[in-house]
Amino acid sequence: MKAFIFDLNGTMINDMEYHLDGWHNMLNKLGANMTREAVRGHMYGKNEELLMRIFGKDRFTLPQMLEIAHEKEVLYQEAFRPHLELIAGLPAFLRQATDTGIPMAIGSAANRFNINFVLDNLQLHDYFNAVVSAEDVATSKPNPEVFLKCAAAIHAAPADCIVFEDAPKGVEAALNAGMQAVVLTTMHTRDEFAAYPNILAFVEDYTDPVLQQLFA
């Protein structure tokens, strides 16, 4: 039995440029003095991990990092809310998967605050049998923990899971979990995934007919 596991940002909604703007502004407000493209290279993992990568482990306490991250997420949601919609073709894809009886989960480095922002506003809760967020894992992607927890929650063998991702670290996490992946090219180019042998397809959105092979 197949199962589908979705990353959220850049995979279900095309919002990564808004996250990038939010982090670029916040980090430079904190004195990082980084270009927008330099910040792009840090756009993976938990928010507090991003802050520690840039400022070191001792610059902020955990409560301070959580406060910084929350401020950034509030600004991101305000900016992105007028544009909040699923990537083209995904509504029909989710309905087809549900009608076919394929269990689905979300496995994201986003926190529950941002995941629920999407699921609540787009009324998507009923499609997913499980949601694993940043708060639910000890180690972020490329560690496979998030995807393995998704598989366990929907009672699927890792080898039967297909992960939908937009980031190299996410595809690496799928590989480490023993799962194949479909890549959404919303944030990264194909050549950035050259190291990963577990990719079934590259697609711009969910209207690509190659995805129908997943239901065969």
Side-chain angles (χ1 to χ4, degrees):
M1 182 179 69
K2 293 179 182 176
F4 294 162
I5 301 175
F6 294 84
D7 176 50
L8 182 70
N9 307 107
T11 302
M12 293 180 61
I13 54 173
N14 196 359
D15 65 339
M16 290 306 294
E17 295 299 327
Y18 291 86
H19 279 290
L20 180 56
D21 286 341
W23 273 123
H24 181 234
N25 293 332
M26 181 62 67
L27 292 172
N28 286 336
K29 177 181 174 182
L30 294 169
N33 193 28
M34 296 174 68
T35 66
R36 195 170 182 275
E37 287 307 303
V39 174
R40 187 186 298 271
H42 291 278
M43 297 288 291
Y44 64 93
K46 298 181 182 182
N47 289 332
E48 54 268 32
E49 293 172 343
L50 182 151
L51 288 167
M52 287 189 286
R53 280 196 297 271
I54 293 171
F55 293 105
K57 294 184 178 181
D58 300 323
R59 170 71 182 275
F60 304 109
T61 65
L62 179 57
Q64 287 174 327
M65 288 190 287
L66 293 175
E67 182 178 350
I68 290 166
H70 183 73
E71 181 181 347
K72 174 262 169 185
E73 301 303 6
V74 169
L75 294 174
Y76 146 77
Q77 289 187 11
E78 290 176 351
F80 185 62
R81 189 183 301 274
H83 312 282
L84 177 59
E85 62 180 359
L86 292 178
I87 289 174
L90 184 53
F93 186 84
L94 294 176
R95 288 193 296 270
Q96 185 176 4
T98 298
D99 292 344
T100 310
I102 295 174
M104 293 185 287
I106 291 175
S108 174
N111 58 29
R112 288 272 174 175
F113 179 63
N114 272 351
I115 293 175
N116 287 332
F117 166 68
V118 176
L119 298 186
D120 291 345
N121 282 289
L122 297 180
Q123 300 180 345
L124 298 174
H125 285 281
D126 290 345
Y127 284 115
F128 298 99
N129 305 93
V131 175
V132 180
S133 69
E135 291 94 335
D136 301 316
V137 298
T139 309
S140 294
K141 305 169 188 176
N143 188 287
E145 181 182 5
V146 63
F147 293 143
L148 292 174
K149 283 193 170 183
C150 283
I154 58 178
H155 309 291
D160 294 330
C161 295
I162 297 171
V163 171
F164 295 81
E165 261 286 354
D166 71 306
K169 293 293 185 183
V171 173
E172 185 177 347
L175 178 63
N176 291 337
M179 301 175 183
Q180 294 180 303
V182 172
V183 174
L184 277 292
T185 54
T186 53
M187 184 74 169
H188 296 273
T189 60
R190 291 190 180 204
D191 59 352
E192 294 178 76
F193 297 87
Y196 307 114
N198 59 322
I199 296 174
L200 293 173
F202 291 92
V203 298
E204 292 184 3
D205 58 42
Y206 293 87
T207 66
D208 195 312
V210 72
L211 295 179
Q212 289 304 306
Q213 298 175 18
L214 302 180
F215 297 101

